[in-house]
Amino acid sequence: MTASPRELPSLGLEPPEFLQVSPLLRGLQEQAPICRVRTPAGDEGWLVTRHAELKELLHDERFGRSHPDPANAARYVRNPFLDLMITDTDADAGRRTHTETRRLLTPMFSARRVREMAPKVEAVVEAALDDFIAQGAPGDLHGGLSTPVALTVLCDIIGIPAHSRGELMTLLARMALLDSRESVERGQRDLFAFVEGLVGQKRAEPGEDIMTRLSEGGLPEARVAPLAVGLLFAGLDSVVTIMDHGVVLLAGHPEQRAAALADPAAMTHAVEEVLRAAKAGGSILPRYATEDVETGGVTIRAGDLILFDYSLPNFDERAFDAPERFDITRAPNPHLTFAHGIWHCIGAPLARIELNTLFTRLFTRLPGLRLALPADDLRLLEGQLSGGFTKLPVTW
C-alpha cells in the first residue's frame, strides 16, 4: 500500500546540531535502511539511512544523473544549478560521461600532485593566519580564515586568478539561494559566462591548473565551464564547513586537541573523526534509478529519486560504536563523507591536507583559541544549499 503524501515523513533543510541526529532521521534509520520520504521540494524520493546499504549502492551503476524526463524529475530542492546535474542521456551515455570526466580530473588530484601541493597549502594557511591574527581578537574564523584558505587553494588548482575571486564569491553566493529562482538563474548565467571567459584566457595563456587541462583535452568552453563551476560549488563550501565545524569540535575537546597536536599520526586520525562528525544531517547527493532495483527490502522504480546522505550513515550504530561521541582514537573509521566507489570525491586527498594543516597551525599558533560565545548560540545559514556558519566568533 502506497503512503499518501501527508503520511510520508518530510525532510527539511534545518541546520544540523553538532554530533546529533534529528529524531526524525534517527527514527527513519531505525525503521529501515531505505525509506520513502518527501523532499524539501515537496517531491517523493527514497532516503538511504544506513552505512552498509549506502556503501553498497555507491558502487551500483544503476543509479546516476540520467532521467528520461529531466523537466519533470523529482527534485531534492529547487535550484537551477542542481537541475543542470540531471541529464536526458541514456544510462550508458551518462556513465561514459561520468567516467570521462573523472579521467580528465583525477590526475590533478593524484596523491603525487597533492603531496607536491602540501608546501603551497601550508604557505596559504600561514599567510591567512598572519592576516587573521593581525586583526586581533575576537575574530570571525569563518570569514577570516576558513573561507580564504579554502578559496585560495581551490582557485589555485582550478585556475581562477586572484583578482577575479571577489566576483566569483558573489556569483557563487547567488547560486546557492533557494528562494529566488530568477536571481539564481541570472547568477548562473553570469557565473558560466565569467568562467567561460577565464577558459578562453587559459587557451592563450595555459597554466598548471584544471581549466588548462580540460581545455587542452579538447573540451569547448561551454563544457569546461560547468565542470569548473561544479568543482567550485561542491568543493568550496564543503571544505569551509568542515574546517569551521572541526575547529569547534577540537576547541571543545581540549585533551583530544592536545593529543593531536603532540603526534602527527594522531592529527591524521583527528581529521578523519572531524570528517565523520562535522556535517551531521548536511550532505545529500540526489540520484535517479535507471532501471528497477530491488534493494534494502524495497523496489526502487526506474526514474525514482534516491537520496544518498553522506552524513546520516556516519552516525549509524551498526557501523560505529557510540557514533555521537567525538573520539579521535576511533578505529576503524570508515566514514562515507567523501562517498565511495564510482562517486568517491576526487578532491579528498587535497581536502585532508588542508584540514590537517589548518588545524595544526591554528592551534599551534593560538593554543588558547576558544569560541567567543556558547556553541548553542552559533548560527548556520538558512535558505541556502550551504550548511555552514554565517560567522564563527573566536577569541584567544
Side-chain angles (χ1 to χ4, degrees), residues 177-292:
L177 297 172
L178 297 176
D179 59 356
S180 177
R181 186 174 186 89
E182 181 180 349
S183 175
V184 173
E185 289 177 342
R186 186 170 59 252
Q188 176 180 292
R189 291 192 298 270
D190 293 345
L191 179 58
F192 276 44
F194 167 81
V195 176
E196 285 178 16
L198 294 177
V199 175
Q201 295 175 26
K202 292 295 177 182
R203 294 192 189 279
E205 301 177 10
E208 293 293 324
D209 53 63
I210 286 173
M211 288 197 295
T212 296
R213 177 176 177 81
L214 293 177
S215 297
E216 291 177 343
L219 294 182
E221 282 87 343
R223 278 281 312 279
V224 176
L227 293 175
V229 170
L231 289 172
L232 288 162
F233 203 74
L236 178 60
D237 177 69
S238 60
V239 173
V240 170
T241 299
I242 294 173
M243 285 177 175
D244 287 351
H245 286 210
V247 169
V248 174
L249 290 167
L250 290 168
H253 295 82
E255 292 183 359
Q256 296 192 58
R257 181 182 71 236
L261 289 173
D263 179 5
M267 180 59 79
T268 297
H269 290 300
V271 167
E272 295 307 308
E273 180 66 348
V274 165
L275 285 164
R276 183 194 70 84
K279 294 190 71 176
S283 183
I284 288 181
L285 182 75
R287 289 292 180 258
Y288 297 93
T290 58
E291 59 184 86
D292 290 356

Side-chain angles (χ1 to χ4, degrees), residues 14-37:
E14 293 81 8
E17 300 292 336
F18 290 118
L19 292 179
Q20 293 181 10
V21 175
S22 73
L24 170 64
L25 292 177
R26 181 62 82 194
L28 291 174
Q29 191 176 65
E30 292 308 309
Q31 173 184 321
I34 303 175
C35 298
R36 192 73 168 166
V37 296

Side-chain angles (χ1 to χ4, degrees), residues 16 26 30 63 66 87 98 110 114-115 119 121 130 138 149 159 208 222 250 279 337 341 345 352 378:
R26 181 62 82 194
E30 292 308 309
F63 298 99
S66 301
T87 71
H98 178 70
S110 67
V114 169
R115 285 195 300 270
V121 171
D130 288 343
V149 166
E208 293 293 324
L250 290 168
K279 294 190 71 176
T337 300
C345 175
R352 285 184 164 103
L378 293 172

Side-chain angles (χ1 to χ4, degrees), residues 108-109 113 117 120 124 147-169 172 191 194-195 198 202 207-212 228 231-233 235-236 239 350 354:
M108 302 300 294
F109 294 94
R113 181 169 172 78
M117 289 187 64
K120 176 62 182 294
V124 169
T147 298
V149 166
L151 178 67
T152 300
V153 172
L154 188 58
C155 284
D156 282 350
I157 197 170
I158 291 176
I160 309 292
H163 62 80
S164 299
R165 294 171 189 176
E167 180 182 358
L168 173 68
M169 289 296 289
L172 286 173
L191 179 58
F194 167 81
V195 176
L198 294 177
K202 292 295 177 182
E208 293 293 324
D209 53 63
I210 286 173
M211 288 197 295
T212 296
L231 289 172
L232 288 162
F233 203 74
L236 178 60
V239 173
L350 179 60
E354 289 181 76

Side-chain angles (χ1 to χ4, degrees), residues 16-61:
E17 300 292 336
F18 290 118
L19 292 179
Q20 293 181 10
V21 175
S22 73
L24 170 64
L25 292 177
R26 181 62 82 194
L28 291 174
Q29 191 176 65
E30 292 308 309
Q31 173 184 321
I34 303 175
C35 298
R36 192 73 168 166
V37 296
R38 188 160 298 281
T39 72
D43 295 332
E44 293 187 22
W46 299 95
L47 176 68
V48 185
T49 68
R50 297 180 188 170
H51 187 278
E53 285 73 15
L54 178 59
K55 186 174 181 180
E56 177 184 346
L57 292 180
L58 286 170
H59 284 277
D60 195 325
E61 294 189 352

